[in-house]
Amino acid sequence: MTYSAVFKEHLAHPHNAGELPGATVVVEETNPVCGDRLRLYLLVEDDQIETAKYLAYGCPPTLVCGSVLTDLVRGKKIQEALAITKDVLIAAAGGLPGRKHHSAALALETLRSALTQLGTSTEEKSLNLT
Amino acid sequence: MKTQRIYLDHSATTPVDARVVNAMLPYLTGKSGNASSVHSFGQEARAAVDRARREVAALIGAKQNEIVFVSGGTEANNLAIRGLCEAVSEKGHIITSVIEHPSVRGVCDALEKRGWEVTRLPVYENGIIRVEDARAALRPNTVLITVMFANNEIGTLQPVRELGELVRTERQSGRRSLWLHTDAVQVAGRESIAVEELGCDLLSLSGHKLYAPKGVGALYVRRGVRLQSQSIGGHQERERRAGTENVPGIVAFGEAARLARTEISERRSHDKRLRDNFENEVLRRIEDVVLNGEKEMRLPHLSNLSFRFVEGEGLLINLDLQGVAVSTGSACSSGTLEPSPVIRALGRSDELARGSIRFSFGKDNTDNDVERTVDVLANAVTRLRELSPLNKALAS
């Protein structure tokens, strides 16, 4: 399949790209097979994701999933964010070819990892970049 | 106004030359005979196939009865390797390299599963095999050396002439059953080829890499080399490739070969000038760029560069959105999720292999194409590096 107009728009003009100083939690996950990486920054107050930003390295779907994911989680309660499914993410990206679904899986894994960290500690997490 | 697109993927395929289209058109319309038919329609088709065979033979310094027309490079490689091995009475040993095209690599893998022994020669940081490694790999039962003339991803020229000398020396020492095949698909029309000088027994060609349409290619088979046909059911191509000849495609290939032969030095210097200007500008304007493969011993039209902290397919699609078409050895684009084995074989890290982009120029590219591509590339690399956690990790 060819990429949708929504997808191309996210790729050309990614939303919420960049670092987020003062983030409540920062998590980076890697797909060990293809090497794609997604780093997610969340600023959480009173159980609500106030803002989200990201950095990404990888194929276009991984870059776009970062953009789409951060759009989806902004303003959501943590439980609402946990309820985001792969299908919802793929639909918001304007669709992804089957062989690129791993990008959506990486994005959700990163989100869940960040939310799990939030659940275990309310203190700011430091990122191990090694 | 829609931006003019820039095509820099001539190693994948080339646009069909208008002169080639004109040459083949009569054979798609009025001159529609089967070259095996005895009536006048058939005779004019046969004459056209014979003319094309002479032109393809002339391109590589062969005799016309040493050319077998096939559907393209992949079939030529299959016919060369499987055809030769199946014509030999006992399973033996094959020497190849780690950077072969999948149509050679895959055939060697398949033969290995059927009991053949295969040695895969390494390449070094320059992307070139060493003849002494091939010499050391020779065994009493070695039947075939198959090493590509130039690599399709990085363009490095392999020492095929020296391999030819090695085979010749072995023959002079009394060894009879040792043959040399080379996949010259990327070389034809870009560098001169003379099969006698190379000393090869089999050489693969593809039409669509030299401005002919897709669906036609050729295998050079030195006189006296026995091959087992891979398609049965017809006497075409001297019993080596059954099936009605693709007359329009063959005519087109013949005309493309004639043009390539007569224009080769002009095309070569044009492509090389654009490629060198492009590389100089990229290296001047963009930091952390790595050239993959030997700088001198490579095809004149091709540049393979890795951009650190940037993944190749992400960069490719960003360039494509700006109208610039290139290709990549990145993991995701290959469908295998593994980064390019060719770039990895140079000893590059996974990250550099994932960030490799191939730019391949052609006769219709212009200085403006180079200028605009460098602008688009510099912007895309900057944007993707700003987004890259690898880049930020280094900065922090």
Side-chain angles (χ1 to χ4, degrees):
Chain A
M1 68 175 274
T2 54
Y3 291 126
S4 66
V6 171
F7 181 96
K8 287 179 184 171
E9 179 56 28
H10 274 285
L11 189 65
H13 306 104
H15 305 175
N16 317 310
E19 294 172 290
L20 180 60
T24 318
V25 63
V26 184
V27 162
E28 182 172 313
E29 294 291 344
T30 304
N31 180 328
V33 181
C34 70
D36 284 6
R37 288 167 183 249
L38 186 68
R39 189 188 300 178
L40 183 64
Y41 300 81
L42 298 179
L43 180 65
V44 180
E45 287 176 9
D46 297 332
D47 197 39
Q48 179 159 315
I49 300 169
E50 293 296 331
T51 191
K53 296 192 83 171
Y54 79 103
L55 295 174
Y57 164 89
C59 62
T62 294
L63 308 182
V64 166
C65 282
S67 177
V68 172
L69 179 73
T70 47
D71 271 355
L72 284 173
V73 300
R74 279 184 159 208
K76 281 202 166 49
K77 295 286 186 190
I78 289 174
Q79 284 307 313
E80 292 172 331
L82 276 169
I84 295 171
T85 64
K86 198 162 84 170
D87 288 346
V88 167
L89 186 61
I90 291 170
L96 290 178
R99 68 188 180 90
K100 297 293 190 183
H101 284 193
H102 65 89
S103 297
L106 174 66
L108 284 184
E109 185 189 337
T110 311
L111 173 65
R112 284 171 188 154
S113 177
L115 296 178
T116 303
Q117 279 202 26
L118 272 174
T120 55
S121 169
T122 54
E123 291 180 8
E124 183 174 328
K125 303 289 184 282
S126 62
L127 179 66
N128 182 359
L129 293 173
T130 56
Chain B
M1 192 180 77
K2 196 166 182 183
T3 315
Q4 187 83 21
R5 292 190 300 170
I6 299 173
Y7 186 76
L8 297 182
D9 202 12
H10 291 81
S11 279
T13 193
T14 54
V16 183
D17 190 302
R19 296 167 292 180
V20 169
V21 174
N22 285 336
M24 77 184 291
L25 270 178
Y27 297 90
L28 287 166
T29 51
K31 298 181 178 180
S32 51
N34 183 328
S36 298
S37 299
V38 291
H39 48 60
S40 64
F41 288 86
Q43 286 173 33
E44 68 188 0
R46 171 60 56 207
V49 168
D50 287 347
R51 278 196 301 275
R53 201 183 304 278
R54 280 196 292 277
E55 290 297 348
V56 172
L59 180 67
I60 60 170
K63 300 178 190 71
Q64 69 177 83
N65 61 6
E66 293 176 317
I67 299 298
V68 177
F69 284 119
V70 293
S71 64
T74 293
E75 188 186 342
N77 286 335
N78 270 263
L79 177 58
I81 302 169
R82 290 173 59 184
L84 185 91
C85 290
E86 289 174 8
V88 173
S89 54
E90 287 181 14
K91 287 172 184 166
H93 173 237
I94 301 168
I95 297 172
T96 184
S97 84
V98 294
I99 59 164
E100 295 301 307
H101 186 270
S103 58
V104 167
R105 200 187 324 141
V107 175
C108 290
D109 291 349
L111 287 167
E112 192 173 37
K113 283 182 187 154
R114 284 162 46 185
W116 284 74
E117 298 164 20
V118 179
T119 298
R120 296 166 182 86
L121 303 175
V123 293
Y124 295 83
E125 196 184 359
N126 61 4
I128 300 175
I129 65 148
R130 290 181 184 164
V131 178
E132 53 265 37
D133 290 341
R135 187 178 293 112
L138 278 174
R139 300 177 191 171
N141 66 339
T142 304
V143 167
L144 175 67
I145 300 175
T146 173
V147 171
M148 65 198 333
F149 200 169
N151 180 261
N152 51 304
E153 287 188 44
I154 56 177
T156 49
L157 291 159
Q158 303 302 316
V160 176
R161 185 175 291 112
E162 290 78 0
L163 290 174
E165 280 170 21
L166 173 64
V167 170
R168 200 174 292 137
T169 306
E170 289 293 313
R171 282 186 189 143
Q172 284 165 356
S173 311
R175 187 198 282 261
R176 292 192 175 276
S177 302
L178 175 65
W179 291 276
L180 174 63
H181 165 247
T182 190
D183 171 359
V185 160
Q186 291 291 337
V187 183
R190 295 178 177 131
E191 294 282 2
S192 296
I193 300 176
V195 287
E196 284 302 324
E197 270 182 45
L198 287 177
C200 62
D201 302 292
L202 299 151
L203 180 141
S204 302
L205 298 168
S206 174
H208 74 100
K209 308 291 192 190
L210 64 154
Y211 305 97
K214 295 150 193 72
V216 64
L219 179 66
Y220 158 76
V221 185
R222 181 188 295 281
R223 194 176 168 201
V225 175
R226 284 180 55 229
L227 286 186
Q228 175 67 51
S229 176
Q230 299 299 300
S231 60
I232 297 161
H235 302 293
Q236 292 89 351
E237 300 302 300
R238 299 159 66 88
E239 309 280 349
R240 283 162 168 168
R241 203 264 189 178
T244 302
E245 290 94 339
N246 167 15
V247 177
I250 289 169
V251 168
F253 189 17
E255 178 64 359
R258 187 186 71 77
L259 293 168
R261 180 169 53 83
T262 54
E263 297 175 2
I264 194 159
S265 71
E266 183 187 314
R267 287 185 192 179
R268 188 182 187 288
S269 53
H270 168 83
D271 291 355
K272 185 173 187 307
R273 184 177 62 79
L274 294 187
R275 192 272 311 272
D276 290 349
N277 288 348
F278 167 77
E279 272 184 0
N280 290 339
E281 273 302 289
V282 168
L283 294 170
R284 188 178 70 79
R285 288 180 53 179
I286 307 175
E287 290 182 350
D288 289 314
V289 181
V290 177
L291 171 67
N292 293 313
E294 156 72 33
K295 193 165 193 274
E296 299 304 324
M297 289 296 291
R298 63 175 164 155
L299 292 171
H301 75 297
L302 190 152
S303 176
N304 190 304
L305 303 172
S306 286
F307 299 86
R308 290 200 67 193
F309 319 125
V310 174
E311 196 271 343
E313 193 184 343
L315 182 52
L316 180 150
I317 300 288
N318 268 276
L319 295 179
D320 191 42
L321 290 175
Q322 301 291 313
V324 178
V326 297
S327 66
T328 176
S330 89
C332 289
S333 70
S334 68
T336 65
L337 299 182
E338 295 292 335
S340 159
V342 173
I343 309 295
R344 292 287 290 117
L346 308 179
R348 299 272 188 261
S349 65
D350 280 355
E351 184 220 328
L352 283 176
R354 290 187 179 107
S356 71
I357 296 279
R358 180 183 70 184
F359 304 85
S360 48
F361 295 84
K363 67 184 181 64
D364 299 324
N365 286 129
T366 64
D367 289 315
N368 282 342
D369 291 346
V370 171
E371 201 176 313
R372 206 178 117 222
T373 299
V374 175
D375 285 343
V376 167
L377 180 64
N379 287 336
V381 169
T382 300
R383 284 184 56 233
L384 289 169
R385 282 182 177 164
E386 281 171 3
L387 193 59
S388 171
L390 297 174
N391 193 25
K392 301 290 182 189
L394 195 79
S396 65

